[in-house]
Amino acid sequence: MSPFSLELGEDQLAVRDWLHGFAADVMRPAAAEWDEREETPWPIIQEAAKIGIYSLDFYAQQYFDPSGVGIPVAMEELFWGDAGLGLAIVGTTLAAVAVLANGTDEQIGTWAPQMFGTPDDVKVAAFCSSEPDAGSDVSALRTRAVYDEAKDEWVLNGTKTWATNGGIAAVHVVVATVDPALGARGQASFVVPPATPGLSQGQKFKKHGIRASHTAEVVLDNVRVPGHCLLGGKEKLDERLARARERAAGGGKTGSGAGKNAAMATFEASRPAVGAQAIGIARAAYEVALDYAKTRVQFGRPIIDNQGVAFTLADMRTRIDAARLLVWRASWMAANQQPFTAAEGSMSKLYAGETAKWVTAQAMQILGGNGFTREYPVERMHRDSAIYTIFEGTSEIQRLVIARTISGLPIR
Ligand SMILES: Cc1cc2nc3c(=O)[nH]c(=O)nc-3n(C[C@H](O)[C@H](O)[C@H](O)COP(=O)(O)OP(=O)(O)OC[C@H]3O[C@@H](n4cnc5c(N)ncnc54)[C@H](O)[C@@H]3O)c2cc1C
């Protein structure tokens, strides 16, 4: 087991500084433009690919860092640069994590590289779980996967919504129900390979924040994928379904809260990383506010000379550091196979998401009228931060998970 440490090693510091350089020199100058354009920033993703930041190798290296902090450090620096561009760069990793969490070694080797493409021909990937009537309640999803034994193919039908990179992705990972009667336990994840007929993009959403990241509906109309596209394989699925049916026959729960399912396995693995993204936004806004408070003069003195402003900055910094500690702890636990006995992953995402929203709101207040305009970046940071209490499990759902875990009770 790797000991928990707050000190980054030489290699980790070098990666952090390298990412910081990219965030400062490439992302920051481009952030406002792509926020206004609300389009996928392909040139920025390409630049990230050319120097190795957008690549399977890079994320695999950080993911397998035994200290656990490789991914959070990387996320914090990129999202310090800009959250919309950051999500455009790392959105693919959500689908990659779904394959890592649920796929066989062969499936990982086949699909993960195709999700990123090459520096000369970059691709993105999408993870499609949410549906119009199944957001927080993942067990309610209706997209069906039916096995066509004669052809060894799965047939997918349904509509996914709010998919990051949905419709523009080369590879889509789709969570579907194989046996609706089993609720969450009857679900499985499927890879939809590039250019598969029947998959199309529905509505593209216009958003409040992270506007450089593409979010859209994905329509699946008789999408046929080969049997080997079922993540984890059919044998494993059949065993799992048989266990779930036995449990259901014995009066066990099958619906929401019935235990781990394909979508939840992905979310569990990615929550601390999402918390780290929120910390990057919060730190960026805090830094702007601190500089501003030291230089903005009112009543003949810098505004930071007022306790009302200085104490707010003290609280901002304290919350950011506390959030980072929670994220690093959860990331270290995950990397070292420590069970989340108090839902530490959810705790980290909850606190970091709420911190980002609160800190960016305080930053706007400290910048006064300037904070409200697009001349200064805190307005964008505030808009971007708002998603961090919503996606990857809302703050309420994180509290629900924590409450159930610490109490052992089926709190609703
Ligand atoms: C920009 C963006 C990108 C996204 N990217 C993806 C993606 O790549 N892939 C994907 O699959 N999904 C994605 N999502 C979907 C996202 O995960 C969902 O929006 C989120 O899970 C919440 O679901 P919902 O919007 O349906 O809200 P609902 O579940 O309808 O919740 C509405 C409100 O009710 C509260 N609530 C619901 N149930 C309870 C309860 N039991 N107790 C207390 N409060 C409750 C919620 O906390 C929330 O405040 C994305 C969403 C957005 C906006």
Side-chain angles (χ1 to χ4, degrees):
M1 186 162 72
S2 169
F4 181 71
S5 170
L6 291 174
E7 225 174 312
L8 296 180
E10 245 175 61
D11 289 353
Q12 291 168 322
L13 285 172
V15 170
R16 186 195 64 185
D17 294 348
W18 173 55
L19 293 173
H20 189 81
F22 182 79
D25 301 339
V26 178
M27 297 173 78
R28 285 230 165 153
E33 180 195 338
W34 289 101
D35 174 57
E36 290 296 339
R37 284 173 66 166
E38 293 194 53
E39 287 167 11
T40 302
W42 291 108
I44 306 287
I45 303 174
Q46 258 148 14
E47 252 182 274
K50 288 219 161 81
I51 62 164
I53 291 174
Y54 185 73
S55 77
L56 176 62
D57 276 0
F58 174 69
Y59 291 105
Q61 229 169 31
Q62 303 316 312
Y63 189 79
F64 291 112
D65 173 351
S67 76
V69 301
I71 289 285
V73 166
M75 293 294 176
E76 182 175 332
E77 288 314 311
L78 292 175
F79 284 70
W80 173 90
D82 181 63
L85 296 176
L87 201 63
I89 292 171
V90 309
T92 294
T93 60
L94 189 59
V97 168
V99 173
L100 279 178
N102 303 301
T104 61
D105 286 349
E106 202 184 332
Q107 288 170 327
I108 295 167
T110 304
W111 300 115
Q114 295 192 44
M115 292 180 168
F116 290 87
T118 63
D120 291 327
D121 185 18
V122 288
K123 304 284 184 211
V124 292
F127 175 70
C128 310
S129 169
S130 302
E131 296 181 4
D133 293 323
S136 300
D137 183 5
V138 179
S139 69
L141 63 82
R142 285 206 287 251
T143 294
R144 276 303 303 266
V146 176
Y147 188 54
D148 179 346
E149 201 159 359
K151 292 189 172 155
D152 183 27
E153 285 178 348
W154 287 91
V155 187
L156 306 175
N157 276 293
T159 301
K160 295 292 178 181
T161 194
W162 302 309
T164 300
N165 296 336
I168 61 165
V171 175
H172 291 76
V173 175
V174 171
V175 185
T177 178
V178 178
D179 185 343
L182 295 175
R185 285 177 179 267
Q187 295 170 0
S189 294
F190 299 84
V191 167
V192 180
T196 301
L199 184 148
S200 60
Q201 182 185 305
Q203 181 192 358
K204 178 188 168 187
F205 295 102
K206 287 180 79 71
K207 306 194 297 292
H208 177 68
I210 52 160
R211 301 197 303 183
S213 167
H214 172 102
T215 316
E217 286 177 333
V218 172
V219 180
L220 301 145
D221 181 13
N222 278 321
V223 171
R224 286 187 162 265
V225 298
H228 62 76
C229 288
L230 163 65
L231 288 177
K234 183 127 186 341
E235 207 175 306
K236 215 166 142 196
L237 173 69
D238 287 342
E239 280 168 21
R240 190 156 58 80
L241 293 179
R243 276 199 308 274
R245 285 183 191 119
E246 256 173 52
R247 199 183 149 117
K253 279 189 72 181
T254 56
S256 111
K260 210 167 155 178
N261 59 66
M264 294 321 289
T266 304
F267 289 138
E268 269 174 32
S270 52
R271 270 177 187 155
V274 176
Q277 297 170 5
I279 294 168
I281 305 172
R283 193 183 105 212
Y286 156 77
E287 287 174 3
V288 174
L290 180 61
D291 281 352
Y292 192 88
K294 284 178 175 169
T295 50
R296 171 72 173 167
V297 173
Q298 287 293 277
F299 301 102
R301 59 181 195 271
I303 58 170
I304 198 169
D305 273 5
N306 303 291
Q307 272 192 4
V309 174
F311 282 14
T312 302
L313 284 158
D315 284 346
M316 290 159 77
R317 177 61 189 263
T318 304
R319 291 199 196 188
I320 292 167
D321 282 12
R324 187 182 299 107
L325 286 173
L326 287 174
V327 164
W328 282 26
R329 176 180 72 165
S331 303
W332 171 82
M333 290 176 76
N336 288 279
Q337 287 81 47
Q338 300 296 299
F340 284 169
T341 51
E344 288 88 345
S346 294
M347 255 188 222
S348 71
K349 196 269 175 178
L350 167 65
Y351 195 74
E354 292 292 337
T355 294
K357 216 165 142 182
W358 184 82
V359 164
T360 54
Q362 302 314 308
M364 273 176 61
Q365 189 65 21
I366 288 171
L367 267 71
N370 281 329
F372 199 63
T373 69
R374 294 197 181 181
E375 298 298 308
Y376 285 77
V378 292
E379 175 269 347
R380 185 179 69 251
M381 292 166 184
H382 184 55
R383 284 189 286 109
D384 291 345
S385 74
I387 192 63
Y388 284 86
T389 62
I390 297 172
F391 70 2
E392 291 272 324
T394 65
S395 285
E396 292 73 23
I397 293 303
Q398 309 299 343
R399 290 187 178 98
L400 196 66
V401 173
I402 298 165
R404 282 179 182 162
T405 310
I406 59 173
S407 69
L409 296 170
I411 313 258
R412 283 155 53 86

